Amino acid sequence: MIRSLKCAVATAALMVLAACGDGGAGGSPSGARSGIWAAGSSTVFPFATRVAETFARTSGGGAPRVESLGTGGGIQAFCQGVGPNTPDIANASRQMKASEFDLCAKNGVTEIVEIKIGFDGIVIATARNGNGFNFELNDLYEGLAKEVPGPDGTFVANPAKTWNQVNPGLPNQRIQVYGPPPTSGTRDAFLELGMTPGAKLVPAVKAIEGDEDRFEAIAHTLREDGAWIDSGENDNAIVQTLTRTPGSLGVFGYSFLEQNLDTVKAETIDGVAPTADTIASGAYPLSRSLYIYVKKAHIGVIPGLQQFVQEFLSEGSAGKGGYLADRGLIPLPEDQLQAQRAVIAAMTPMSRPAH
């Protein structure tokens, strides 16, 4: 009797979820969906794919569907509503924004569980046989911003053509940087961790910090004259471009660096090289946390969803020597790991972000 009742409740829940899922991305015309669906960050993609492979092997079911849409694209799809036509999980290489949280709420996604899965760093890399750089944070702004300070408090189109025009200590090499597009969480993190603090080191930009909109426009708008080149959501494509384009630099996640050390190398920032230790400690300036966002309304309805989420932080994946570390993810310290496991166990919804 109890088993029959459980089956009836589960069936009813699936019918309700299907009824909620008439709109949105990625479902079948009938509104039904079998299997788990995660979408978002290209940086998180290889980690989520590895977790999906392990989950499928240990559970005996099909592998969850994992899509690389960029953080912004994944969260947009996630926030379209509750139901089988929307992802269960948004993978993110930055925290969800207040505006995205509000979009979710507007569309009925009212309980979102934020889970930190580890750390990553944003690297500025060159081909292994390329020149060496030791960037200062302000070099990033002064070399890559669309507008920089001009005479008499004005801002002008960035005139720098080579890196030594930005900083005499840098190589006499043209400024040509391949990086992620606006939909990417890596791009967002690069702006927040690199361009913003770099801009604040330039007195004329620091002077307008009180005008938040003006400051953000100056600090976050990258060059459009060929010095910065949007290169899609595939970080591996940027890595490959560096080997084919002598003198170019690339911006991508540390995990992709680790997988391609035979062809590319990372440059230092403020004298600090990106390593697992410097990223986990925050000593490397472009360190960041990686997240997954889970739709609580789908827990207990999409078969295996909570177990799949638990696998992200299992001992075999996230513990010392776990398989995600082999892929380049920098694990959480033990206290943070236990705290995130508690969030998963309770499926504790997040609060609205401040920004």
Side-chain angles (χ1 to χ4, degrees), residues 90-134:
N91 299 326
S93 56
R94 58 160 171 80
Q95 287 191 290
M96 180 179 283
K97 300 174 182 177
S99 59
E100 294 166 334
F101 186 89
D102 293 343
L103 175 64
C104 272
K106 177 183 176 183
N107 291 329
V109 184
T110 56
E111 290 188 299
I112 303 166
V113 183
E114 177 187 79
I115 300 159
K116 184 191 294 188
I117 63 168
F119 302 105
D120 184 37
I122 300 169
V123 303
I124 302 175
T126 60
R128 284 208 65 84
N129 60 356
N131 288 322
F133 289 74
N134 177 25

Side-chain angles (χ1 to χ4, degrees), residues 145-148 155-160:
K146 182 178 180 179
E147 293 187 343
V148 294
F155 285 83
V156 299
N158 196 328

Side-chain angles (χ1 to χ4, degrees), residues 85 97 247 256 281 322 348:
N85 291 338
K97 300 174 182 177
F256 291 92
S281 70
T348 307

